[in-house]
Amino acid sequence: MQRTLHKPFIVFAMVLLSLSPVFTFAQAEVFGLKTFIARLENSFDVKFSYVDADIQGIEIKVPSSKKLQEILNAIATQTGIEIKQLSERYYALSKPRLVEICGRVLDNYAKNTVPGATVEVLGMDKAIVTDIDGFFRMEAVDRSASLQIRYLGYTTRIVPIAELADQGECPKILLAERREVLTEVVVYEFLTKGIVKETDGGITVQTQKLGLLPGLVEPDVLFGIQTLPGVKSIDETVSDINIRGGTNDQNLILWNGIKMYQSGHFFGLISAFNPYLTERVSVYKNGTPSEYGDGVSGIISMETKNDIGDRFSGGAGFNLISGDAFGQIPITDKLAFQFSGRRSTTDFLDTPAYVSFTDRAFQDTEVQNQQNQEVNENLRFDEKFLFYDVSGKLLYDFNEDHKFRLSFIGIDNDLDFSTTNTETSETSRSFLDQTNLSAGLQWFGDWSERFSTHVNVYFSKYNLDAQSLFPDQQQRLFQKNTVEERQAKLTTFFRLSDNLQWINGHQYIETGITNQADVTTPEFNLNIKDVVRIQAPFTELQFNTKNNGFITNIGLRANYIQNLAEAGGAFDRLLLEPRLNLNFKMANFLRAQILGEFKSQSTNQVIDLQQNFLGIERRRWTLANENDLPLTTSKQGSVGLNYAKRRLYISAEAFYKTVDGISTRTQGFQNENQFDGELGGYEIRGMEFLINQKGENYSAWLSYTYNKNDYTFDSIVPPVFPNNLDVRHTLTLGGTYDLGNLKLGIGINYRTGRPFTQPTEDNPLDTTVFPAQINFEVPNSSRLPEYFRADASATYQFDLSDRVKAKTGISLLNITDRANVLNRYFRVSDENEIERVDNSSLGLTPNISFRVSF
């Protein structure tokens, strides 16, 4: 019998059939987006248009909703696809063109962050640099474009932006070190991470990447460079640096292109420059680029961070001497401000490090009489010492091609020192105020792909006020030394071809120095001001072959120097100063370098009252003149070999240098020639050797320096004798080891003793004159005992949060507590006896630090 279907049942069945694709599809958890869209078209009678590549391979979790708009919203949320309704029935699907991306750039070898890496969107006018944590973030970038990430020493990496945008979080991007170019090594990293020898003969210290050095609890700009062969401090300070046998005033010290006349705190025991904002330090011992004048011994140029980050970064910390803070604040994407500040705790907190430093600066003197008995002078010392330094930098990018940088720095040392004789209750007091205030403007301009310019203008002022009150309160000594300097320099860079660059420029410098002295008893008054102006055009050609088999820099600088002294000593001089740097490949892994330079300088430091009690030197800046202090000139040539294969680096360099136009008043003589003002020069022959072996988590090195440094003074008998800084042999052995976040370092420093002059044995004291005078032997015919010091340090880094990192450290200087004699001189006591005065080195000096950075 034929069955008849009722109409309501037929309608219900048709509805079920029409909905069956959606119901069937909803039971699946994950499905391809393209297939799901086709089912939606059938179920809801709509049409979607799209590019296959935009949705190809995308899978979604099927929404549970049965409403079309809710389903579309869920698709957009899961995939980031933009869905636009064109009409009642038609829809368009597309990936967003502009997206926000972020990432963190890491070292592929050490898994360390890479701060300062350039992140550029190819095809767009967008580029930033990674912050101190290697992090970057960019908004409104084209999904179809690619990122180019590059950093010196690493292989450039190209990353599609779509890969970063689709990950949903900030991914890690690893940069591989450029190790495949070992057969053509030109730039060498040695000792510890962040110290690089450049092709122009200079050595760059990248302070943000600098690894641990023995004896340092945290980075110190001027202490760190003393690990380099040929760079040391005879009197064991961080700011009185001797480069290849020269005095500290023969170094040109620059901070953001500004000449600094003060570089240390605590009489040179502490560097005055914040290492956490200092991005790089360049050291030149020879072959200096022609844009640099002055500094006949060497150049030390410091540069703070020069790029605008996209977020606030900074840090703070303390050690047993001082506390400091620093930071960089991005105000807009084109404007940022850097700041740093440090203040000592020495005026209200006595720590082991402070006690050791004060012993070294004030109370380290051992006095013996002619019978080699220690002289007990029954003296009590009281000192109040305070130092601070502040710096700032305003960074403004007018656009990608023109950038302005305004920098300033202030350095201050204040000392109140008194000496009391406990037997007579007589007290003498000394006051000292030492400041350096400087400001400078830099403009970097790129006018085309081949032509760029750099303008540097600065003003620098140094002031030293010293006053002494003697026990009778009737005698007073006042000294003042002021330096004011203005400079304007324009440098142009023109790339003639891919292998040839031509650098030209002109530098104008005006330096005025005032020296005042006022003594009440006997009455004496001095007030001298000199002004020197220098006009210096310079030019340089830089050429390298395609494979860097041959690299050369040839330059010439012309110094036209005018002294405008009204009281005599005025002069005009024109000096031509050629510069040469040849660097060429001799064999695989082996390169040779030939360097040469002529240089001159018009500023020097004379040393007054060298033999005062405690032997604390009184140095004051002065200008060359035609009367008693000529221009200082130097000539130098060197030949070196560099071998680098895998993790082994060996270098050897022989050099010859002559310096003329020096005075016994600038060299620190402590014999009968101290105040004579004899003029002469010195000649150095030397050799520097370094071998460095690195592993995955260690670095070990051995360096040796030989110097033969002789004075020539025609009016002294004999005319040729050893230089006060003639240290023949210097040996350094050191190593570091990394255990994850724990870093360890240990080092040994050895050198032969420096020369000094002692009294004659037969007739040491001439009492026939008043006051009595010491009869000395031949100048610098005796030597101090050898110097030995062992140092160690350790640091540990850990995370306080995702953004905040912490580091703590401990260091020990002079682990063996050896009493090294740094200097020895002789004087006549009130009883007409000869006394020997020994100045000793730092004893065992511990220091600890704690820092946070973000």
Side-chain angles (χ1 to χ4, degrees):
M1 182 172 110
Q2 186 176 3
R3 294 184 178 181
T4 302
L5 295 174
H6 296 287
K7 186 175 181 180
F9 178 78
I10 295 173
V11 173
F12 180 71
M14 291 179 65
V15 172
L16 287 176
L17 290 172
S18 66
L19 295 176
S20 61
V22 176
F23 290 152
T24 303
F25 192 55
Q27 294 174 1
E29 291 185 357
V30 178
F31 215 85
L33 178 59
K34 186 174 182 180
T35 303
F36 183 63
I37 287 174
R39 296 295 181 88
L40 289 179
E41 290 179 333
N42 292 332
S43 300
F44 294 98
D45 191 23
V46 294
K47 290 292 182 181
F48 295 93
S49 61
Y50 52 83
V51 177
D52 283 346
D54 286 350
I55 65 173
Q56 189 69 35
I58 297 179
E59 294 183 342
I60 65 168
K61 184 178 181 181
V62 176
S64 59
S65 176
K66 302 300 187 293
K67 295 181 180 180
L68 177 61
Q69 191 57 50
E70 292 179 356
I71 294 172
L72 296 180
N73 291 341
I75 293 174
T77 301
Q78 291 186 43
T79 65
I81 295 292
E82 292 182 351
I83 304 176
K84 184 177 182 180
Q85 186 173 2
L86 304 178
S87 65
E88 184 177 347
R89 188 182 176 207
Y90 288 91
Y91 294 82
L93 277 67
S94 65
K95 284 188 175 181
R97 187 177 68 84
L98 298 180
V99 296
E100 179 180 346
I101 60 171
C102 61
R104 194 175 182 213
V105 182
L106 301 175
D107 182 327
N108 189 43
Y109 171 68
K111 295 297 193 313
N112 292 324
T113 59
V114 182
T118 301
V119 182
E120 179 183 3
V121 181
L122 298 179
M124 294 184 68
D125 189 20
K126 277 184 175 293
I128 61 172
V129 296
T130 57
D131 64 14
I132 194 171
D133 299 317
F135 180 84
F136 71 90
R137 182 183 297 275
M138 305 179 77
E139 297 178 350
V141 294
D142 193 335
R143 169 185 287 275
S144 63
S146 295
L147 282 185
Q148 176 180 267
I149 305 173
R150 52 193 171 88
Y151 192 77
L152 179 66
Y154 295 87
T155 301
T156 298
R157 183 170 178 183
I158 306 296
V159 181
I161 288 177
E163 289 185 8
L164 302 178
D166 293 338
Q167 292 195 31
E169 57 183 19
C170 298
K172 295 179 180 179
I173 303 173
L174 305 183
L175 292 187
E177 293 186 5
R178 193 178 293 120
R179 296 181 178 275
E180 69 276 6
V181 297
L182 281 179
T183 56
E184 293 291 345
V185 169
V186 178
V187 177
Y188 310 98
E189 185 175 78
F190 59 96
L191 297 185
T192 188
K193 189 174 182 180
I195 300 180
V196 178
K197 186 167 186 178
E198 307 284 359
T199 59
D200 62 359
I203 297 173
T204 298
V205 180
Q206 301 166 333
T207 54
Q208 301 302 311
K209 298 176 60 179
L210 186 63
L212 183 68
L213 288 172
L216 282 181
V217 70
E218 51 190 354
D220 187 293
V221 173
L222 298 180
F223 188 98
I225 66 174
Q226 294 183 36
T227 60
L228 305 175
V231 182
K232 56 182 175 289
S233 176
I234 298 300
D235 62 1
E236 204 182 51
T237 62
V238 298
S239 62
D240 192 0
I241 296 175
N242 312 115
I243 299 180
R244 287 184 173 174
T247 54
N248 183 66
D249 62 325
Q250 294 173 353
N251 299 325
L252 172 62
I253 301 178
L254 299 173
W255 180 84
N256 284 341
I258 305 171
K259 182 175 179 180
M260 306 303 297
Y261 284 91
Q262 179 184 351
S263 58
H265 294 305
F266 223 134
F267 299 98
L269 294 174
I270 302 171
S271 170
F273 307 102
N274 190 300
Y276 297 100
L277 282 180
T278 304
E279 189 169 53
R280 56 186 288 140
V281 182
S282 299
V283 180
Y284 292 95
K285 296 183 285 185
N286 191 14
T288 309
S290 61
E291 66 170 303
Y292 295 109
D294 212 337
V296 297
S297 279
I299 308 291
I300 303 171
S301 177
M302 294 165 279
E303 292 287 341
T304 59
K305 294 180 181 179
N306 212 33
D307 296 303
I308 297 176
D310 61 349
R311 65 174 182 172
F312 173 71
S313 62
F318 66 88
N319 55 45
L320 296 184
I321 295 295
S322 62
D324 73 281
F326 72 97
Q328 177 165 307
I329 305 172
I331 302 172
T332 68
D333 59 348
K334 293 186 176 182
L335 182 66
F337 178 70
Q338 293 176 2
F339 68 90
S340 73
R342 172 172 51 176
R343 187 192 188 280
S344 68
T345 59
T346 54
D347 56 330
F348 62 86
L349 183 63
D350 287 344
T351 65
Y354 175 59
V355 171
S356 181
F357 277 24
T358 53
D359 286 346
R360 164 67 180 86
F362 307 114
Q363 302 168 19
D364 64 339
T365 304
E366 178 183 318
V367 182
Q368 292 185 340
N369 59 22
Q370 288 175 280
Q371 290 75 40
N372 290 325
Q373 297 173 335
E374 185 172 344
V375 177
N376 183 6
E377 299 189 88
N378 298 311
L379 299 177
R380 185 182 72 247
F381 308 106
D382 297 292
E383 74 281 333
K384 182 179 180 182
F385 183 73
L386 168 67
F387 70 80
Y388 67 85
D389 56 74
V390 294
S391 69
K393 186 174 183 179
L394 191 67
L395 302 89
Y396 176 65
D397 292 351
F398 184 78
N399 53 39
E400 288 295 324
D401 297 325
H402 296 278
K403 302 179 180 181
F404 297 87
R405 305 292 184 256
L406 178 63
S407 305
F408 69 88
I409 187 171
I411 303 170
D412 184 80
N413 285 290
D414 291 308
L415 170 67
D416 181 352
F417 182 71
S418 64
T419 305
T420 302
N421 189 315
T422 57
E423 292 182 348
T424 63
S425 298
E426 293 182 337
T427 299
S428 61
R429 297 188 67 184
S430 297
F431 306 91
L432 182 143
D433 182 22
Q434 187 179 32
T435 60
N436 196 115
L437 298 173
S438 304
L441 175 66
Q442 293 178 302
W443 170 26
F444 303 89
D446 292 332
W447 303 94
S448 68
E449 292 184 356
R450 293 186 177 273
F451 183 71
S452 61
T453 59
H454 176 207
V455 175
N456 180 27
V457 179
Y458 72 74
F459 171 78
S460 187
K461 182 176 181 179
Y462 166 82
N463 189 77
L464 172 67
D465 288 323
Q467 182 173 306
S468 294
L469 297 175
F470 296 95
D472 56 12
Q473 301 297 315
Q474 300 298 317
Q475 186 178 12
R476 179 179 63 88
L477 168 64
F478 172 78
Q479 287 183 304
K480 185 179 183 67
N481 182 211
T482 303
V483 182
E484 292 187 359
E485 184 166 287
R486 299 165 179 83
Q487 182 231 242
K489 181 167 71 170
L490 169 65
T491 308
T492 64
F493 305 85
F494 183 46
R495 185 162 291 283
L496 300 173
S497 68
D498 292 340
N499 306 107
L500 182 62
Q501 181 173 239
W502 189 18
I503 300 174
N504 291 282
H506 186 276
Q507 183 178 25
Y508 169 77
I509 307 173
E510 180 180 286
T511 307
I513 296 182
T514 301
N515 277 293
Q516 294 177 272
D518 185 7
V519 181
T520 55
T521 307
E523 186 175 347
F524 173 77
N525 187 274
L526 173 71
N527 190 347
I528 298 176
K529 181 175 182 179
D530 286 336
V531 176
V532 164
R533 292 175 181 168
I534 301 176
Q535 303 279 357
F538 56 88
T539 185
E540 185 170 310
L541 282 173
Q542 299 178 350
F543 172 78
N544 64 283
T545 56
K546 187 175 182 180
N547 61 355
N548 285 328
F550 180 76
I551 302 172
T552 182
N553 297 348
I554 301 176
L556 179 65
R557 180 183 180 91
N559 280 334
Y560 177 62
I561 307 171
Q562 293 178 291
N563 186 309
L564 307 179
E566 297 180 357
F571 65 86
D572 292 1
R573 290 281 300 276
L574 175 62
L575 300 174
L576 298 180
E577 300 177 358
R579 313 286 171 84
L580 174 67
N581 172 19
L582 301 178
N583 188 310
F584 52 92
K585 177 180 177 181
M586 297 186 66
N588 284 340
F589 315 111
L590 181 65
R591 298 186 70 91
Q593 192 163 40
I594 300 174
L595 302 170
E597 66 179 24
F598 284 30
K599 295 179 76 175
S600 64
Q601 69 178 61
S602 57
T603 56
N604 292 278
Q605 279 186 316
V606 297
I607 304 173
D608 289 336
L609 305 179
Q610 175 70 3
Q611 294 184 5
N612 64 350
F613 185 67
L614 300 176
I616 298 176
E617 295 175 347
R618 298 290 186 261
R619 298 170 180 263
R620 54 184 176 87
W621 290 97
T622 188
L623 286 170
N625 54 58
E626 286 294 330
N627 293 330
D628 55 3
L629 190 61
L631 288 171
T632 305
T633 59
S634 71
K635 301 175 183 178
Q636 185 178 185
S638 63
V639 177
L641 293 174
N642 297 281
Y643 175 85
K645 184 177 182 181
R646 295 185 178 92
R647 295 170 181 170
L648 175 65
Y649 173 72
I650 302 174
S651 71
E653 186 172 1
F655 67 91
Y656 172 77
K657 179 170 73 172
T658 63
V659 177
D660 293 314
I662 66 170
S663 167
T664 55
R665 298 174 61 209
T666 67
Q667 296 297 299
F669 277 83
Q670 293 179 299
N671 52 32
E672 72 272 18
N673 306 120
Q674 177 179 348
F675 300 112
D676 291 346
E678 306 293 345
L679 302 180
Y682 62 87
E683 178 182 86
I684 308 175
R685 295 177 175 86
M687 187 273 290
E688 299 163 359
F689 173 80
L690 172 67
I691 180 170
N692 180 210
Q693 176 68 53
K694 288 186 176 181
E696 291 186 1
N697 54 2
Y698 74 89
S699 177
W701 63 86
L702 171 69
S703 70
Y704 168 75
T705 302
Y706 169 79
N707 277 349
K708 189 177 186 303
N709 191 349
D710 291 324
Y711 283 127
T712 299
F713 287 96
D714 293 336
S715 57
I716 296 178
V717 179
V720 179
F721 53 93
N723 192 299
N724 294 333
L725 301 177
D726 177 43
V727 175
R728 295 291 172 89
H729 306 281
T730 302
L731 187 69
T732 301
L733 178 65
T736 60
Y737 189 78
D738 295 352
L739 289 170
N741 291 332
L742 177 64
K743 302 181 186 300
L744 306 172
I746 188 167
I748 295 174
N749 299 278
Y750 167 86
R751 63 174 182 256
T752 52
R754 66 187 294 186
F756 72 98
T757 308
Q758 61 182 1
T760 61
E761 292 185 5
D762 298 337
N763 184 26
L765 187 64
D766 184 2
T767 58
T768 61
V769 296
F770 181 82
Q773 295 181 356
I774 299 174
N775 294 320
F776 286 96
E777 293 184 347
V778 173
N780 289 343
S781 55
S782 301
R783 287 190 177 268
L784 294 174
E786 58 192 12
Y787 176 96
F788 176 87
R789 193 186 78 205
D791 307 322
S793 54
T795 62
Y796 181 76
Q797 183 171 318
F798 54 96
D799 295 337
L800 295 177
S801 68
D802 292 339
R803 281 287 317 268
V804 181
K805 299 182 180 296
K807 185 170 73 171
T808 184
I810 183 171
S811 67
L812 293 172
L813 285 171
N814 197 2
I815 299 173
T816 63
D817 199 24
R818 177 185 172 96
N820 293 295
V821 179
L822 301 177
N823 189 30
R824 176 175 293 169
Y825 65 90
F826 299 85
R827 68 187 186 193
V828 180
S829 69
D830 294 337
E831 291 77 21
N832 271 359
E833 284 193 340
I834 296 177
E835 296 178 341
R836 190 186 79 185
V837 183
D838 284 351
N839 300 134
S840 301
S841 65
L842 282 170
L844 174 62
T845 305
N847 201 358
I848 60 173
S849 74
F850 178 78
R851 303 200 61 83
V852 294
S853 60
F854 43 85

